[in-house]
Amino acid sequence: QVQLVESGGGLVQPGGSLRLSCVVSTSTSIVINAMGWYRQAPGKEREWVAIIRSGGSTGYAISVKGRFTISRDNAKNTLYLQMNSLKLEDTAVYYCFADDSLGRNWGQGTQVTVST
């Protein structure tokens, strides 16, 4: 089994920064491959944000590229999303995911609100 718990969301002003964390817990037999983040704004479909693959390569949605940075600390089993220069349109619930051989596993989400 794979369990993911996000934290770090909150309220921030435009131009501000937040760092999201996602702690991943697995049984010893499970190998995690890619990990990443999606987000879902009110009234909109879930949107892919960023991915980091097992080899360390990363990918970003055009809307966040240059502002967000994804990273992982394998020793701490933690995935991060550093979000800088936040915009009003970044407001959403952010979900982390982790892929294993059986499929994709999801966290419960953490709310990020960018507001004046």
Side-chain angles (χ1 to χ4, degrees), residues 32-51:
I32 297 296
N33 300 312
M35 301 177 65
W37 297 88
Y38 276 71
R39 66 187 181 185
Q40 188 166 20
K44 295 187 177 181
E45 294 190 355
R46 192 171 292 193
E47 172 192 26
W48 172 72
V49 174
I51 190 169

Side-chain angles (χ1 to χ4, degrees), residues 89-109:
E89 52 264 40
D90 294 319
T91 295
V93 178
Y94 284 72
Y95 299 89
C96 65
F97 69 86
D99 293 342
D100 62 23
S101 60
L102 298 179
R104 178 154 292 177
N105 306 275
W106 294 95
Q108 82 289 352

Side-chain angles (χ1 to χ4, degrees), residues 77-90:
N77 294 325
T78 303
L79 174 72
Y80 301 101
L81 185 68
Q82 177 67 43
M83 306 186 295
N84 298 328
S85 302
L86 283 162
K87 303 176 181 180
L88 296 175
E89 52 264 40
D90 294 319

Side-chain angles (χ1 to χ4, degrees), residues 4-60:
L4 300 93
V5 179
E6 299 104 331
S7 63
L11 174 65
V12 64
Q13 292 184 340
S17 298
L18 281 176
R19 188 177 79 157
L20 305 184
S21 300
C22 175
V23 177
V24 183
S25 302
T26 68
S27 63
T28 55
S29 62
I30 292 180
V31 176
I32 297 296
N33 300 312
M35 301 177 65
W37 297 88
Y38 276 71
R39 66 187 181 185
Q40 188 166 20
K44 295 187 177 181
E45 294 190 355
R46 192 171 292 193
E47 172 192 26
W48 172 72
V49 174
I51 190 169
I52 183 166
R53 302 172 186 88
S54 57
S57 63
T58 59
Y60 297 91

Side-chain angles (χ1 to χ4, degrees), residues 55-76:
S57 63
T58 59
Y60 297 91
I62 292 175
S63 59
V64 307
K65 195 170 186 178
R67 300 187 298 121
F68 290 11
T69 303
I70 189 171
S71 61
R72 62 195 288 181
D73 186 333
N74 292 330
K76 295 182 179 180

